[in-house]
Amino acid sequence: MSTVSSTPRTKTGITPATPTTTRLAGSHVLQASPHYTTTRRHSLYGTEDRVVIDPGSRIWKVGFSGEGKPRDVFYADAKNYDSLWSWNRATDPTEKAEQDNMLEINLERCMRSVFHESLLAEPKARKVILVEHPLMPLYIKDMLAHILFSNLQVPSISFASSHLLSLLSVGRITGLVLDCGHLESTALPIFAARPLFPQLRTTPLAGSRFSSHIRALLLLFGSYLPPPTTLSAAVNVPAANRTTRVPQEILTDAVIEDIKTRCCFVSDALESSLSDVRASSPAGDDPSDHEPPPSSDPAISESEFSRGSLGQESAAESEFSIVSHLTHSTSSGEASNEKHIQVLANMYMRHSTATNLHMRVVPPVSQQTGTGRGTLIIPGWVRERAAEVLFEGGDVDESSVAEVILDALLKVPLDLRKTMASSILITGGTAMLPGFIPRLHTELLRATAPLNILSTRSRPTYDRYASLRPLVPHFAILNNPTPVPSSSTRANVNAGKAPAFTPATMAWVGGSLAGALKTGGVEVAREKWDESDPSQTDQDDDVIMVVPASERIPRNVIPDWTRGLLPAGAPPAVALKPLPSPQAVGA
């Protein structure tokens, strides 16, 4: 007698995975979702959670408060991987108006994408926490507030400093935060949750300069295998015979971003310095250990490439890298310049253990008649030493990332230096390079070392970091993955003890924590924003004045630390009396 098989039943004694919730009698606590074990209403079922937006010049991070990571991370310009804004604003009124209008259109597109695509939330019922950079221009903050209030009609906006939120994400309220972003690297001391803005220090050595340096090194030392014209040529013609210089067209922003995020890393510091390379290369040396691949085009230097093909902004970014320093340092002709560049490449190749990488890229238009894609050969020493541009200091206007930290320590009061030096936090997308934070700690020790120890390095007679030398045992980076034991108890307690948040999302995590605790920066309500609108004064309610973005005046309700009171000891802002003429004195 056959039996009909029945549907398997759940074994007894196993409780469902979804926990059941019990109603709290006599309590005003919001009822939780049946799919979450918390008693706080989740963002999908309630409107208590705030929307946390971290608008970067290239990458945006968005999500709800109370959560441990962003809901969505996206490029502001997903097609060209370009920055929405830069620090170089047009001076011509017509060009400035066009630039501001395009920026406002792109910001509105990103903001609508945040609410309607990434979060699927109603903006009219959500308060917003806006993570702002301390040096973000005021007209950009005004554009963001105008879009959120006038177009999306959010109830309120809280402006919070990115450095302070990053420090809150690791459970601290006092420390020195270095933000290595795309446009610049900024160091800001924070004491008792109060940012010390007058002690802020910045440098343009950041992700943008790193990208332009990678592009210049690949143009000088990289190799390219074009796709074979026929299948028989792919088999019969050796790859060495098809190797050429890297065409400029294939090094798009997307390719450079892929190389920077997936191929590059930071290695230990070399004992030799740039000056040693110049001094140790005699006139008769033949730097032919690594000849560039043949090409029909004449050899170009990095500065010529940046001026001729990258435009004004990229040229300014590429003029001050290691290669261009060597190119501009000598005046004995193009041959001497190429010789110094080759000596530097030979030094890096001798100390490099990284392997060459082959990357498939889209060939130029003139080579797309072949079969398949081209191959970009990335030298191993370029992957390992491209980040040296971030640690080469000595320039007053372009300090290295280590010198920015030391300059900020010189500005803080003496009784706070030890506390700040033992509580350094590194954030930003550039800081996610493997080996970046340990190398930064090494550079801090090298910059403050006595002169007799670094005998191989040429240093000026004036040692501006001599007053910071007693702080060397106390240097500690909170999120250092490989902390070095120190003789200071304070440094051993703090080094490497920060939670394992990625440096790029620390500011957003701090904003999420501030939103969950119902705290944050200065909150601006929509009613206060409407009252401060200068275009609504003496106008009827039915008349709406549309003011262009370039002619819009930033409102006083937007917080801006640059408009605060001058620090103690600042000179009075009064006009000086003119000196009497010599005739009047003689009379």
Side-chain angles (χ1 to χ4, degrees), residues 8 31 71 86 152 188 214 233 238 259 271 280 348 377 465 474 568:
Q31 182 64 26
R71 289 286 186 96
S86 64
L152 299 177
L188 178 63
I214 292 176
I259 294 174
E271 295 299 329
S280 62
Y348 283 156
I377 302 177
Y465 300 127
H474 304 284

Side-chain angles (χ1 to χ4, degrees), residues 14 22 72 122 235 286 318 387 398 434 538:
I14 299 179
T22 58
D72 192 15
E122 175 62 32
V235 179
D286 183 18
S318 302
E398 295 190 349
D538 299 334

Side-chain angles (χ1 to χ4, degrees), residues 155-179:
S156 67
I157 303 176
S158 297
F159 294 88
S161 173
S162 59
H163 291 69
L164 177 58
L165 295 180
S166 300
L167 201 59
L168 292 178
S169 66
V170 298
R172 306 294 180 107
I173 59 174
T174 299
L176 178 60
V177 183
L178 175 67
D179 184 7

Side-chain angles (χ1 to χ4, degrees), residues 4 17 56 89 161 174 240 341 351 399 404 428 431 434 478 494 504 506 525 537:
V4 179
R89 197 180 184 188
S161 173
T174 299
I341 297 173
H351 295 85
S399 304
V404 167
L478 298 176
N494 293 339
M506 279 188 176
T537 58

Side-chain angles (χ1 to χ4, degrees), residues 8-221:
R9 301 293 182 182
T10 305
K11 295 182 180 180
T12 59
I14 299 179
T15 58
T18 303
T20 58
T21 57
T22 58
R23 185 176 300 274
L24 301 178
S27 176
H28 63 279
V29 179
L30 296 175
Q31 182 64 26
S33 164
H35 299 284
Y36 295 90
T37 58
T38 177
T39 57
R40 183 180 58 84
R41 180 176 294 177
H42 194 263
S43 57
L44 186 61
Y45 298 92
T47 59
E48 293 294 325
D49 297 331
R50 304 186 183 186
V51 173
V52 183
I53 304 176
D54 185 1
S57 60
R58 293 184 72 239
I59 299 179
W60 286 39
K61 295 169 280 290
V62 298
F64 293 106
S65 62
E67 299 181 352
K69 60 181 180 180
R71 289 286 186 96
D72 192 15
V73 179
F74 62 90
Y75 283 93
D77 188 0
K79 180 181 294 185
N80 300 323
Y81 292 85
D82 237 346
S83 300
L84 287 183
W85 64 82
S86 64
W87 303 137
N88 299 326
R89 197 180 184 188
T91 56
D92 183 67
T94 305
E95 185 180 356
K96 179 181 177 181
E98 182 180 358
Q99 183 180 358
D100 291 349
N101 290 334
M102 289 301 301
L103 176 59
E104 187 172 17
I105 291 173
N106 292 328
L107 290 177
E108 183 178 355
R109 172 181 52 82
C110 293
M111 280 296 180
R112 291 190 179 277
S113 175
V114 167
F115 287 95
H116 301 155
E117 297 179 10
S118 301
L119 303 181
L120 300 178
E122 175 62 32
K124 295 182 180 180
R126 298 285 184 175
K127 294 183 178 181
V128 175
I129 296 180
L130 199 63
V131 181
E132 62 165 347
H133 193 272
L135 296 179
M136 178 182 289
L138 188 59
Y139 76 96
I140 296 181
K141 291 196 291 186
D142 182 76
M143 286 184 185
L144 293 173
H146 178 76
I147 293 170
L148 289 172
F149 281 129
S150 302
N151 297 358
L152 299 177
Q153 299 182 1
V154 298
S156 67
I157 303 176
S158 297
F159 294 88
S161 173
S162 59
H163 291 69
L164 177 58
L165 295 180
S166 300
L167 201 59
L168 292 178
S169 66
V170 298
R172 306 294 180 107
I173 59 174
T174 299
L176 178 60
V177 183
L178 175 67
D179 184 7
C180 298
H182 178 67
L183 296 178
E184 62 182 351
S185 300
T186 308
L188 178 63
I190 298 175
F191 178 73
R194 290 173 174 83
L196 306 180
F197 290 114
Q199 281 75 39
L200 183 142
R201 289 296 174 267
T202 181
T203 177
L205 298 183
S208 178
R209 181 67 55 81
F210 182 40
S211 300
S212 62
H213 189 61
I214 292 176
R215 178 182 281 107
L217 289 178
L218 290 178
L219 286 172
L220 290 173
F221 302 104

